[in-house]
Amino acid sequence: MIPVNEFRSITSEQNPQFRVLKPWWDVLSEYLGIAMLMMGVFGCTLQLTQDKISCLPNRFTDLSGGDRDCSHLRQENESLWEFAITKRLGPNVVEVFGRKNGLDIHQYEFVNHFCYERAVHWYGKYFPYLVVIHSMIFMVASSFWFKFPGTSSKIELFVIILGKCFDSPWTTRAISEVYEERREERMVVWRKNTMTKSAADNNDDMVSLIRSSIKSGSDQKLSEATASLLDKKEGEQAKALFEKVRKFRTHVEEADLLYFMYVLQTALKVFKFALITVYSVALVPNIQIVVMCSVPPDLTGFSAFCCNYNKAHLFSKLAYCYICFVGVYGLLCIYSLYWLFHRPLKEYSFEAVRLETGINDIPDVKNDFAFLLHLSDQYDALYSKRFAVFLSEVSECRLRQLNLNHEWTADKLRARLTRNAGERLELPLFLLPGLPDTVFEISEVESLKLELISNVTVPGTVSQLTALQEIVLIHSPAKLQLAALSHLRENLKVLRLGFEGPEQVPLWMYTLQSLEELHLSGALSAELSRSPALDSLRDLKNLRVLTLRCKLTKIPPSIVDVSSQLQRLYVHNEGTRLQVYNSLKKLVNLSALELTGCGLERIPSAVFSLSLLQELDLRENRLTTVEEILSLQHCHRLTVLRLWHNDISCVPEHISKLRALETLDLSWNKIRSLPPHLCYCTKLRHLDLSHNQLASLPSEIGVLQCLQFLSVAFNSLESLPEELFSCKRLQVLALGNNSISSLSPRVGNLAQLVRLELKGNRLESLPAELADCLSLRLAAVIVEDGLTDLLPPDVKDRMKHR
């Protein structure tokens, strides 16, 4: 006998975890399939182990020449006595003899086999085999989607993820936390209602009662949180589960192959049910116990035989039983089709889960993902409820926060503290999945720098950072809780933002009333719009410094909102041409203006109306001439003018009108000569003419008695005017990379000189008068190797030991 398990191993799935995808009708159908298979195997066993048919000659022949049928054998036994041969042995004793047919055993065997093949109806012969085949088809159809390559991998991955989500400690913790929060909210509402209804004389007692209950509740919550704290391994496993669920959803939600396969196999089973029912009901009556068989008379001497089909009675009963089983199986399949088409199984709503758990951001799903969840609900609805936790972004953020707090302890963060360019104690964090809560335990932090950190939410505990004055957010979109916003609105002084588009500029930025410096770096205008998307700055009443590292075509009009207090404006345009400057005229209190990489071909006329302007920087533009520099005399307080990295070829003589000028930077231009009138800017302290094409310096340069820094490096100078060494306040003199062949002994007059650059010239020796430069050390003399060795030994000793 063939074990049924051998068939089950072929026709059904092996993974016991797949049971979560089997609704009750599929389970019942599987048991019915096993019962029908056992019925068929039993019939096949009978066919193979017992005689199939027994035949005897029919002696009654029709007078018309035909053979009489065997219907007379179905009569009562008493009527057959007349055909028996009897011999009386006594008054009440009769000996009965059977008929002699004269056939041997081989002839009987031949007739039995011949008549089984010719006379027995095919349904009666092959009924058990049909039962086995149909049962196997039913079982294969039921489990086909578990084996099909296009669906089996998705199903296996789903049940693995579903089981891990069900067993994950994070699921229990996430749901418990939400329940705790909702309980606290209900308690707060109840307390407010109680306070409203209480009498005035009992207010003090009620307040003390509420405070004590709040304290005890918070202590209890803290102890519970400590007790349920996930270890690092469990947190990492939950994090991996979130990633798997996200990828699985993306992969499965885009198709409905699983739904189609399930509908197809169910429809196939319904078709098989109808086919089996129709032909079985029609053919079962053909299973007869006694059948008539015609045999050629030349073989046995008889032309007709009456045959007894031994298993006909049993097979007919099994057939009716089989039809009943198939009927129940078919009804289950029809119900399955009704369930498939009556309900929207391609959509799954977590509305009930959201209401029950309080996790409101669980998204609804569709297509195959929704279908799998509907199937799991038929097994146990708790699976989808716990699975939903891993679809929630809020839950994922909480887990990420928990893992962050495990990894970034307060001591580890303190080890990263450094001083930034503004001499503030800065905590830099780079490429983290979030902001650790332990950051807010370091109260000495003055500057918080977050770079390439996603999902930043600043909680109300930021108020614990009492020294915090600066926040740097570089491609790190941040959200503020209400308590955090209230604190930062009153205490934050400096904000630096790096972003990719205007939609990433946080709205809370416009409410920081105490903000003094705002530095923005990114695209302030959309690709299809040239207007900068910068909202009103009127609430930034203390804003003094504004930096815009953006590709602007015009100065944002909203800058006018802070015109009364804005003192410094820096625009770095990265080569994009700035075409509209009208808003500059209204910045009447501006003291420093920097327009870098703005594609300027001349100094904007709007600058000339800034009467309080002290610093002007126009580097990296396209200036070729600065004839309009005369109009800068209206800027009476202008002390710093930087025109470096342009294409200026000459300096106009009326630059002398800028009497208050102290710093002039004309480096990296194409200037061939200097006008003598430049030297009438007698307050000049810093003059940078490096990287030009100067062949000589005017002798009037000696007039610049306040000069402390002079750089003419990388020019074409062959000699220096003697008057240069009359500038006795010079501290830095950069003459490198020219064609100077000798250095005047008058260099000794520069008593305050602390740095002298001569490398890259044609010098063969250095004057011994360098020893008279009392502040100049030998290490600060930048020349070719070995040139300082030519100095007298006493000079070198004096310069080394200063």
Side-chain angles (χ1 to χ4, degrees):
M1 200 169 183
I2 303 175
V4 179
N5 289 334
E6 295 295 330
F7 291 99
R8 291 194 61 188
S9 64
I10 302 175
T11 58
S12 62
E13 92 290 339
Q14 294 293 317
N15 194 341
Q17 293 179 336
F18 288 169
R19 66 182 183 275
V20 299
L21 297 180
K22 288 185 176 182
W24 64 267
W25 55 85
D26 278 352
V27 175
L28 183 56
S29 298
E30 183 178 352
Y31 283 112
L32 287 174
I34 294 174
M36 291 186 289
L37 181 62
M38 294 177 65
M39 187 183 302
V41 172
F42 174 68
C44 292
T45 304
L46 291 179
Q47 287 278 63
L48 297 174
T49 58
Q50 297 182 8
D51 294 335
K52 299 178 180 178
I53 195 170
S54 300
C55 298
L56 292 175
N58 187 3
R59 295 178 177 273
F60 297 94
T61 305
D62 197 343
L63 296 176
S64 61
D67 294 331
R68 186 179 178 184
D69 62 16
C70 300
S71 59
H72 60 283
L73 296 178
R74 302 186 182 94
Q75 300 175 2
E76 295 294 332
N77 293 333
E78 290 80 0
S79 63
L80 298 178
W81 280 89
E82 59 180 302
F83 301 103
I85 300 175
T86 62
K87 178 181 179 182
R88 185 171 299 274
L89 301 178
N92 297 319
V93 179
V94 178
E95 183 179 0
V96 181
F97 298 92
R99 290 177 182 264
K100 302 294 184 178
N101 296 320
L103 300 178
D104 59 22
I105 188 63
H106 300 291
Q107 289 175 318
Y108 278 116
E109 288 180 357
F110 169 78
V111 171
N112 289 344
H113 289 292
F114 182 85
C115 292
Y116 181 78
E117 297 296 334
R118 297 294 183 90
V120 178
H121 194 271
W122 67 267
Y123 185 75
K125 292 187 293 185
Y126 302 116
F127 163 73
Y129 302 106
L130 292 175
V131 173
V132 170
I133 293 174
H134 290 317
S135 299
M136 291 185 67
I137 292 176
F138 277 136
M139 298 177 74
V140 168
S142 298
S143 61
F144 181 73
W145 70 327
F146 294 124
K147 302 290 186 179
F148 184 67
T151 57
S152 60
S153 59
K154 296 179 180 179
I155 293 174
E156 184 174 0
L157 183 59
F158 174 76
V159 297
I160 291 174
I161 294 176
L162 189 66
K164 290 182 177 179
C165 293
F166 187 86
D167 298 331
S168 175
W170 173 250
T171 309
T172 304
R173 170 166 180 154
I175 296 176
S176 301
E177 286 182 352
V178 174
Y179 278 139
E180 182 66 23
E181 291 176 0
R182 295 177 68 184
R183 188 183 69 84
E184 289 184 357
E185 291 176 359
R186 290 194 295 267
M187 288 294 293
V188 170
V189 173
W190 176 81
R191 287 163 182 164
K192 288 182 178 179
N193 294 337
T194 305
M195 285 294 294
T196 304
K197 296 177 181 179
S198 60
D201 53 353
N202 294 329
N203 277 348
D204 294 337
D205 296 337
M206 182 62 66
V207 169
S208 60
L209 176 61
I210 291 176
R211 287 178 179 175
S212 60
S213 62
I214 291 177
K215 182 178 180 181
S216 61
S218 61
D219 292 341
Q220 181 181 1
K221 181 180 177 182
L222 181 60
S223 61
E224 291 176 355
T226 304
S228 62
L229 191 64
L230 297 179
D231 60 25
K232 186 176 182 180
K233 181 179 179 181
E234 291 174 339
E236 291 297 327
Q237 291 175 348
K239 178 182 177 181
L241 267 180
F242 273 105
E243 186 65 24
K244 288 181 180 179
V245 170
R246 186 184 302 108
K247 291 182 178 180
F248 179 79
R249 180 186 175 191
T250 304
H251 178 59
V252 174
E253 233 184 348
E254 60 188 14
D256 58 353
L257 179 61
L258 293 173
Y259 177 79
F260 175 77
M261 289 296 298
Y262 191 85
V263 171
L264 185 63
Q265 67 186 30
T266 305
L268 176 63
K269 291 190 289 185
V270 171
F271 172 75
K272 287 286 297 180
F273 149 72
L275 179 64
I276 294 171
T277 303
V278 170
Y279 86 74
S280 294
V281 171
L283 296 179
V284 166
N286 291 322
I287 304 179
Q288 299 179 358
I289 299 176
V290 179
V291 295
M292 180 69 181
C293 176
S294 298
V295 180
D298 55 342
L299 296 177
T300 60
F302 298 95
S303 60
F305 282 81
C306 291
C307 301
N308 178 35
Y309 185 29
N310 305 332
K311 294 176 284 295
H313 180 74
L314 177 61
F315 279 5
S316 63
K317 298 298 184 285
L318 286 177
Y320 285 116
C321 183
Y322 174 66
I323 292 174
C324 294
F325 276 36
V326 170
V328 177
Y329 192 97
L331 291 177
L332 293 175
C333 294
I334 293 173
Y335 176 81
S336 179
L337 280 181
Y338 169 78
W339 180 75
L340 286 170
F341 294 116
H342 179 68
R343 298 182 61 181
L345 300 181
K346 288 187 179 183
E347 298 177 356
Y348 191 93
S349 174
F350 285 101
E351 183 63 28
V353 179
R354 290 192 288 263
L355 292 176
E356 183 179 355
T357 63
I359 305 177
N360 297 321
D361 70 321
I362 301 175
D364 296 335
V365 295
K366 58 183 181 179
N367 290 335
D368 282 345
F369 200 2
F371 179 61
L372 291 172
L373 289 173
H374 280 294
L375 286 177
S376 66
D377 278 352
Q378 297 299 319
Y379 180 78
D380 190 347
L382 186 60
Y383 274 91
S384 60
K385 176 182 175 181
R386 297 178 70 88
F387 186 81
V389 173
F390 289 87
L391 292 171
S392 168
E393 291 186 3
V394 172
S395 177
E396 185 176 8
C397 290
R398 288 179 177 176
L399 175 65
R400 187 186 302 114
Q401 196 66 38
L402 185 65
N403 290 337
L404 272 175
N405 296 339
H406 276 152
E407 181 178 0
W408 294 92
T409 61
D411 294 336
K412 185 176 179 179
L413 290 174
R414 281 192 174 90
R416 298 175 63 90
L417 291 175
T418 57
R419 292 283 175 181
N420 61 11
E423 289 302 317
R424 292 189 176 96
L425 193 61
E426 184 175 80
L427 176 60
L429 298 176
F430 177 73
L431 267 180
L432 296 182
L435 184 62
D437 291 335
T438 49
V439 168
F440 307 106
E441 299 177 10
I442 310 175
S443 57
E444 64 269 25
V445 170
E446 298 175 333
S447 174
L448 181 60
K449 182 179 180 180
L450 308 179
E451 185 172 358
L452 294 175
I453 299 179
S454 57
N455 301 319
V456 176
T457 299
V458 181
T461 51
V462 71
S463 59
Q464 299 175 6
L465 305 181
T466 55
L468 185 64
Q469 297 182 354
E470 179 180 6
I471 291 181
V472 183
L473 300 174
I474 302 177
H475 299 292
S476 302
K479 300 178 182 179
L480 300 185
Q481 293 183 359
L482 185 59
L485 179 60
S486 301
H487 175 77
L488 295 179
R489 185 185 293 127
E490 303 296 332
N491 297 277
L492 192 63
K493 303 299 181 183
V494 181
L495 178 62
R496 303 179 188 272
L497 295 178
F499 47 89
E500 294 182 357
E503 68 281 356
Q504 296 183 0
V505 178
L507 297 178
W508 51 262
M509 178 192 76
Y510 301 101
T511 65
L512 303 176
Q513 300 176 357
S514 300
L515 196 66
E516 297 179 359
E517 297 184 22
L518 177 60
H519 306 271
L520 302 178
S521 178
L524 275 179
S525 58
E527 294 182 0
L528 301 179
S529 175
R530 295 187 176 183
S531 300
L534 193 62
D535 292 346
S536 175
L537 304 175
R538 65 171 59 95
D539 290 336
L540 307 183
K541 300 179 181 180
N542 292 302
L543 190 64
R544 302 290 184 267
V545 180
L546 177 60
T547 301
L548 301 175
R549 293 183 177 271
C550 314
K551 296 181 179 180
L552 303 174
T553 56
K554 65 178 182 179
I555 301 295
S558 55
I559 292 181
V560 179
D561 297 335
V562 291
S563 58
S564 60
Q565 68 266 20
L566 192 64
Q567 297 178 0
R568 293 178 173 270
L569 175 62
Y570 304 104
V571 179
H572 300 261
N573 225 31
E574 301 180 3
T576 302
R577 186 176 181 182
L578 191 63
Q579 300 175 356
V580 183
Y581 325 96
N582 296 335
S583 300
L584 290 177
K585 297 180 179 180
K586 301 178 181 180
L587 304 179
V588 294
N589 291 320
L590 205 63
S591 62
L593 175 63
E594 182 177 317
L595 301 177
T596 302
C598 296
L600 303 178
E601 296 179 354
R602 57 191 309 170
I603 300 177
S605 58
V607 175
F608 307 140
S609 60
L610 303 177
S611 57
L612 300 181
L613 192 65
Q614 299 179 16
E615 301 178 15
L616 177 61
D617 191 338
L618 301 177
R619 73 174 182 270
E620 298 178 7
N621 284 286
R622 302 173 187 171
L623 300 175
T624 57
T625 179
V626 286
E627 292 296 331
E628 63 276 5
I629 204 170
L630 177 63
S631 300
L632 286 177
Q633 65 180 329
H634 299 295
C635 304
H636 303 291
R637 299 185 180 183
L638 188 65
T639 59
V640 178
L641 178 61
R642 301 183 185 276
L643 301 175
W644 49 323
H645 288 274
N646 280 283
D647 297 322
I648 302 172
S649 57
C650 64
V651 180
E653 293 185 355
H654 42 256
I655 193 174
S656 59
K657 301 295 184 180
L658 306 180
R659 300 288 185 179
L661 207 60
E662 296 181 2
T663 298
L664 178 61
D665 193 340
L666 294 171
S667 60
W668 295 93
N669 279 283
K670 300 178 181 179
I671 303 173
R672 295 180 179 275
S673 62
L674 290 178
H677 292 75
L678 172 63
C679 302
Y680 295 154
C681 299
T682 55
K683 293 185 179 181
L684 271 179
R685 298 175 181 270
H686 185 107
L687 179 59
D688 194 342
L689 299 169
S690 61
H691 295 87
N692 278 284
Q693 301 173 9
L694 295 174
S696 63
L697 296 177
S699 59
E700 289 81 0
I701 197 170
V703 178
L704 302 177
Q705 290 298 308
C706 295
L707 197 62
Q708 298 178 3
F709 178 95
L710 175 62
S711 176
V712 289
F714 293 91
N715 279 280
S716 303
L717 299 176
E718 295 182 357
S719 62
L720 299 173
E722 293 292 326
E723 290 80 4
L724 172 63
F725 303 104
S726 300
C727 303
K728 297 183 179 181
R729 295 185 180 180
L730 265 178
Q731 297 179 2
V732 177
L733 180 59
L735 304 172
N737 293 281
N738 281 281
S739 301
I740 302 173
S741 58
S742 63
L743 185 62
S744 173
R746 294 189 59 187
V747 70
N749 296 336
L750 306 179
Q752 299 183 21
L753 194 66
V754 295
R755 183 177 179 84
L756 177 61
E757 297 181 9
L758 296 171
K759 191 174 183 178
N761 285 282
R762 301 176 181 175
L763 297 173
E764 296 181 356
S765 62
L766 296 176
E769 286 77 6
L770 285 176
D772 297 332
C773 300
L774 302 180
S775 300
L776 184 64
R777 303 185 63 178
L778 188 62
V781 179
I782 312 300
V783 294
E784 283 78 6
D785 295 338
L787 196 57
T788 55
D789 295 337
L790 300 178
L791 289 171
D794 59 328
V795 173
K796 289 194 294 183
D797 291 340
R798 289 169 57 187
M799 296 181 66
K800 283 182 180 179
H801 296 90
R802 286 176 179 171

